[in-house]
């Protein structure tokens, strides 16, 4: 099934690219510096390069279990429209992460290992009017029996929101439109005659 109208709407959505910098430290080094908690966010007004740090070994037990003597942290860079930072080399991104971590929490130790993972166009952006766009996409798609849509571009980029949109899409295919109607802010009249009904 093809929906050129839905495709055209989706093509207009803009995406932000980002990179994750993963740093593994000797646990004793990291524990001495890091504050309590599972990480921190950095607002743009702070003027730093990293936009967040997750203390992965604290946030997810299975990472800590892999090696109790190692503390894994990650930082992320690349806000919407910030493309210059993502052109830097892996080594530069590690350096800037270490710099900002030093400034933020006083972590000065050298990491044991590092890895940079780049997510090009990884995060859809929701400008004003996005909800109406999503409603239009769903309206177009509902014309095609057996097709429903879900994922980060629709009802929220977080994994729980993606899962909720997947459940709603499955319900839609089975003829139950209550969840998809609830997710779609504006009532979508043509969903009444849509797939599964
Ligand atoms: C770096 C990063 C960190 C994040 N951290 C968090 C977090 O901590 N917590 C959280 O809740 N959310 C987080 N998110 C957001 C969340 O992970 C994503 O929004 C979510 O995983 C998107 O799910 P999705 O199913 O829509 O898309 P995806 O997970 O991207 O799945 C799309 C799938 O479709 C496949 N595909 C693409 N094109 C085709 C094609 N033509 N044919 C067949 N298959 C195709 C792809 O290979 C992929 O497997 C993060 C996102 C990023 C980028």
């Amino acid at each position: 099934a093809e929906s050129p109208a839905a495709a055209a709407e989706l093509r207009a959505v803009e995406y932000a690219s980002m990179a994750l910098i993963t740093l593994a430290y000797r646990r004793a080094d990291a524990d001495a510096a890091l504050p309590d908690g599972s990480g921190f966010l950095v607002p743009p007004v702070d003027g730093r390069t990293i936009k967040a740090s997750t203390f992965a070994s604290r946030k997810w037990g299975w990472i800590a279990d892999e090696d109790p003597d190692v503390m894994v942290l990650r930082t992320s860079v690349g806000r919407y429209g910030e493309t210059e930072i993502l052109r830097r080399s892996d080594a530069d991104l590690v350096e800037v992460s270490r710099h900002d971590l030093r400034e933020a929490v006083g972590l000065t130790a050298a990491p044991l290992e590092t890895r940079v993972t780049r997510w090009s166009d990884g995060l859809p952006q929701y400008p004003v009017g996005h909800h109406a766009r999503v409603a239009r996409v769903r309206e177009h798609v509902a014309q095609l029996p057996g097709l429903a849509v879900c994922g980060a571009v629709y009802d929220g980029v977080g994994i729980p929101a993606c899962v909720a949109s997947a459940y709603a899409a499955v319900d839609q295919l089975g003829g139950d439109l209550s969840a998809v109607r609830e997710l779609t802010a504006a009532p979508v009249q043509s969903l009444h005659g849509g797939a599964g009904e």
Side-chain angles (χ1 to χ4, degrees), residues 17 19-21 26-27 29 36 41 63 93 100-101 112 116 118 123 125 143 145 149-150 153 176 182-183 186 188 195:
S17 297
L20 289 183
I21 298 95
R26 243 182 304 275
R27 177 172 285 276
D29 292 343
D36 287 344
L41 297 172
I63 297 182
L93 293 181
D100 283 3
L101 284 168
L112 302 167
V116 174
R118 293 165 192 270
L123 287 175
Q125 302 297 302
Q143 311 304 321
V149 290
C150 62
V153 77
D176 175 0
E182 207 170 298
L183 287 176
V188 182

Side-chain angles (χ1 to χ4, degrees), residues 12 19 24 28 38 59-60 78 84-85 93 109 142 145-146 148 151 162 164 178 180-181 187 195:
S38 59
K59 188 168 178 180
W60 295 292
E84 186 275 327
I85 179 73
L93 293 181
C162 295
S178 52
V180 75
R181 280 204 195 105

Side-chain angles (χ1 to χ4, degrees), residues 61-77:
W62 65 268
I63 297 182
D65 293 345
E66 287 285 312
D67 189 337
D69 296 327
V70 169
M71 166 76 89
V72 179
L73 263 66
R74 75 181 195 197
T75 66
S76 58
V77 300

